Amino acid sequence: MAGKRRQAGVTMHDVAAIAGVSIKTVSNVINGYPYIRPETKERVEAAIAQLGYRVNISARNLRQGRTGMIGLAVPELSLPYFAELADSVIRAAERHGVIVLIEQTNATRERELEVLTSQRRHLTDGLIFSPLALGTEDRDLFAVDYPMVLLGERIFGGPADHVTMSNVEAARAATRHLLETGRRRIALIGAHEGETVGSAALRQQGYEQALAEAGLPVDPALIGEAGLWHRATGAEAMDRMLDAGTPVDAVFGLNDALAIGALHALHARGIAVPDEVAVIGFDDIEDAAYASPPLSSVAPGREEIARIAVDLLLQRVAGTAPAEPVEVITDFALAVRESTVGAGALVRPAEGAVVA
Amino acid sequence: MAGKRRQAGVTMHDVAAIAGVSIKTVSNVINGYPYIRPETKERVEAAIAQLGYRVNISARNLRQGRTGMIGLAVPELSLPYFAELADSVIRAAERHGVIVLIEQTNATRERELEVLTSQRRHLTDGLIFSPLALGTEDRDLFAVDYPMVLLGERIFGGPADHVTMSNVEAARAATRHLLETGRRRIALIGAHEGETVGSAALRQQGYEQALAEAGLPVDPALIGEAGLWHRATGAEAMDRMLDAGTPVDAVFGLNDALAIGALHALHARGIAVPDEVAVIGFDDIEDAAYASPPLSSVAPGREEIARIAVDLLLQRVAGTAPAEPVEVITDFALAVRESTVGAGALVRPAEGAVVA
DNA sequence: TTGTATGCGTTATCAT
DNA sequence: ATGATAACGCATACAA
């Protein structure tokens, strides 16, 4: 038993022999070919059950040239946003009978380059790729000979299909929400200085637009750098800003992890949220609703992004997608919770008021 | 281009033709066979590069009877503990050059049964399975003809390898910690009434042991049911208990999601943590350290569990594991943070004091 | 050190 | 409605 031929090693031939039919007939039964005599079908099915036969997918794949799997490349599953995205993509793919193979890039340039040319690409019919390290200058690398859908804000106008949301608009809405609740010293946590592409740049742009509309200047002291968008870096950026003595009455975390890190830092100093400082995040991960206080956030419509990406990719695989790369912009919503509007809004957070 | 033969369709034969060698030599080069004349190797590599050739993994799998992939079946990636576990398993597998195929069961009996016999099993060399719905009565189903490692507390003494931690011990330690800080009315959130196997039963057992050791009775009013261990159900259970007017000075959430839900419910009522009510969780997910206040928790050694499970499974695949099923019990630690000991412990949470 | 030939388990193309 | 047989692309036993 140990090792070697772990599969019972049952093949179609065995089933055919027992059922007293040819291998072709077995194949027909398995693949739902309609013109089979019911009694033949029964015999075959009985033999399958008796032997515990299962199709060898490798053989089928080899024969068909397709694998029924798609790749999903994300930075890390331990980042809640990507875990939830993976969940959504798996469910969306499932509805099409397709399996998802997840790859972690750790957001390193090296691993992201590898994803594009890995041997794994041979194992999947297509790829949904959410890069974090590669950028505009690598755009040409995305002209690959397999179906690919890009997510995120690193590559625009590239040679592959792309699903994203209006980051600028969304960030502007979040900032405006803070302004509307009377905040004037709004810190931005998660900036990437010098970058002109990517979520950080776009969201900061929306932030600056909202300030400009309100006639407020951008105070560099309120711009908190954070290369990685983790809880820890959010807490550190918040700490630095507070240590510097910068007056702050609101925080816009460029994602929820950063915002939760900021909440943590504020809590540690005994600064009341939202009474002294309001906090809003971005991504609306599940954590947000259950933070203390519940965290307001921008909801990017993760389910929708996953669904569209999978549909698009499978169309590409089937050859039914448009010749030109498709660019899809999805909707967002503002999930307003206690961290920006105070205890007046003490609702069960899952239903946090959602405003378009 | 569109669809059909997306692979350039380059095979070893093409490479062999261009390089002026036989297909065997190409195969040798690709598989690192040592005895090849350097110039031959160069010619082959040049041809590979020129044609952009990549091995067809389906064909290789078919030929070798192994896939280099292992399955990981978990309830949901949107539960942080399982997302983090998946992350750890992927990294552990990577060190062995093995790919992980993740499957979600949604913790339903149907899906968990399916995992055991799915066609996907043909696509993987083995399976790491963390069931939540199947239990002792299904033990025999785990006598499968492929390598499998079980995680969790649903199946003990089954026919497959098993990696778990001492749940009873750990829960006892957590409860004792609350007792040592002077708490006497300790609520348990996440109980599964009537169950005798599974994490809920074991952890409740540890809780009751600790109470008994302290000479305290088990008050049924302090036992909060929660079938699913999500944040929402934790908040609901906490709410029910408080609505009933049950006096409480501490909460033991049977996992961190429940505990975070409880924190949320307490926060909503303006009950101070830990001044009025102390809270401890279980799993030590990343969220715990960044909750407000930072959540004390039982750290089950996720990395270690993942590493051991992968190692064990790959030994099983290679046929080098012991004949008898292996049972591994891993260590745990208590991560003590502000939610149980107050603001005196205002350390950066990532380093929350860890006590064996 | 390299080449030839065979088979892995399917599906698909013909026949019948 | 079913059967015989040829690929699919690779790895390997065996030969040279």
Side-chain angles (χ1 to χ4, degrees), chain A residues 21-22 25 35-37 40 62-63:
Chain A
V21 298
S22 88
T25 303
Y35 309 112
I36 311 177
R37 238 185 313 152
T40 312
L62 172 58
R63 181 59 231 226

Side-chain angles (χ1 to χ4, degrees), chain A residues 41-115:
Chain A
K41 188 173 169 188
E42 267 173 38
R43 277 220 312 287
V44 171
E45 277 165 350
I48 289 178
Q50 181 189 331
L51 295 174
Y53 167 78
R54 280 169 299 149
V55 186
N56 181 322
I57 309 227
S58 292
R60 173 182 284 175
N61 288 346
L62 172 58
R63 181 59 231 226
Q64 300 195 331
R66 301 193 308 115
T67 66
M69 293 212 298
I70 61 176
L72 172 67
V74 294
E76 303 180 55
L77 287 180
S78 54
L79 297 176
Y81 176 73
F82 291 107
E84 295 180 10
L85 179 67
D87 182 318
S88 297
V89 167
I90 289 175
R91 287 173 203 275
E94 209 160 66
R95 291 195 289 271
H96 296 273
V98 165
I99 302 175
V100 178
L101 186 60
I102 298 173
E103 302 173 57
Q104 298 197 125
T105 63
N106 301 329
T108 63
R109 186 178 166 78
E110 187 193 358
R111 297 293 302 268
E112 293 194 351
L113 287 171
E114 204 181 305
V115 159

